[in-house]
Amino acid sequence: MEKQLIISVGREYGSGGHEIAEKLANHYGIQLLDHNLLDEIAEKKNVKMDHLRTLDEKHKNPLSSRTVRGYSSSPEENMLYLQFDYLRDKADSGESFVIVGRCSETILKQYDCMVSIFILADRDKRTERIMRLYHLTESDAAKIREKDTSRRRYHNSFCVGKWG
């Protein structure tokens, strides 16, 4: 690929957004970044992966965190900034990639080569898909609202624009 291409994929839980991101990455022959970017951050920063995974895409607790002179006491917020720095470095390097979630449509919006898409689907179709993929009962799969609420809270606590 001659020109840089960055594709940011936001998605509702169960909508197939991750699968679409995989297909886009394969189609264009570029790297897919999702939770695997934590591996690269952990290696680069010499941090244990288990700890990073517990903080991934979690919103900060405003009651137990504070920011003083640009430094935050929130581990979730610090994790987010590690990911933001990683994504900016990747974009600045000229590499093409597909990124799933992680407020990427906001953090990378200044790059002319960035295309942002948001995948959604009807709730009943998402429930059917989650039941099939994860072998869940309908009542377990119906927890879509909780996942979407968590993603919305994460996104909206760190970004100016609203999720979705």
Side-chain angles (χ1 to χ4, degrees):
M1 177 170 285
E2 293 177 20
K3 291 186 177 185
Q4 183 181 21
L5 174 63
I6 300 171
I7 303 173
S8 168
V9 180
R11 75 276 183 229
E12 289 181 326
Y13 181 67
S15 65
H18 195 278
E19 185 178 337
I20 291 168
E22 287 175 340
K23 289 181 179 189
L24 286 168
N26 288 335
H27 175 77
Y28 289 107
I30 58 179
Q31 183 180 14
L32 173 67
L33 296 173
D34 52 8
H35 55 82
N36 65 341
L37 70 90
L38 298 178
D39 296 327
E40 294 183 36
I41 292 171
E43 186 177 316
K44 186 176 179 182
K45 299 289 185 182
N46 199 22
V47 179
K48 291 184 179 182
M49 267 311 297
D50 295 339
H51 180 62
L52 291 183
R53 289 201 193 285
T54 63
L55 303 173
D56 188 31
E57 291 195 296
K58 301 284 191 261
H59 63 87
K60 69 179 179 178
N61 183 343
L63 300 176
S64 66
S65 65
R66 76 185 253 207
T67 302
V68 177
R69 295 187 184 140
Y71 295 98
S72 175
S73 65
S74 166
E76 296 85 5
E77 189 170 15
N78 290 324
M79 176 63 195
L80 177 88
Y81 290 128
L82 283 174
Q83 291 182 58
F84 281 5
D85 289 344
Y86 175 86
L87 290 173
R88 282 190 201 104
D89 289 347
K90 194 94 163 154
D92 287 342
S93 76
E95 288 184 61
S96 294
F97 57 91
V98 176
I99 175 70
V100 179
R102 288 160 182 78
C103 301
S104 56
E105 83 291 345
T106 299
I107 197 62
L108 300 173
K109 70 182 175 184
Q110 73 270 21
Y111 295 91
D112 293 335
C113 60
M114 199 272 290
V115 176
S116 176
I117 60 175
F118 190 84
I119 310 298
L120 50 95
D122 293 335
R123 182 169 293 172
D124 59 333
K125 296 296 180 188
R126 293 190 294 149
T127 302
E128 288 173 21
R129 186 172 183 279
I130 292 166
M131 288 171 57
R132 185 180 74 250
L133 284 177
Y134 302 114
H135 309 289
L136 297 175
T137 64
E138 188 169 355
S139 61
D140 289 335
K143 295 181 181 177
I144 289 172
R145 178 171 282 152
E146 293 171 26
K147 289 281 196 177
D148 284 344
T149 299
S150 176
R151 285 181 178 170
R152 181 178 294 107
R153 286 183 71 197
Y154 165 77
H155 184 279
N156 293 350
S157 67
F158 295 114
C159 298
V160 175
K162 299 298 180 195
W163 182 75

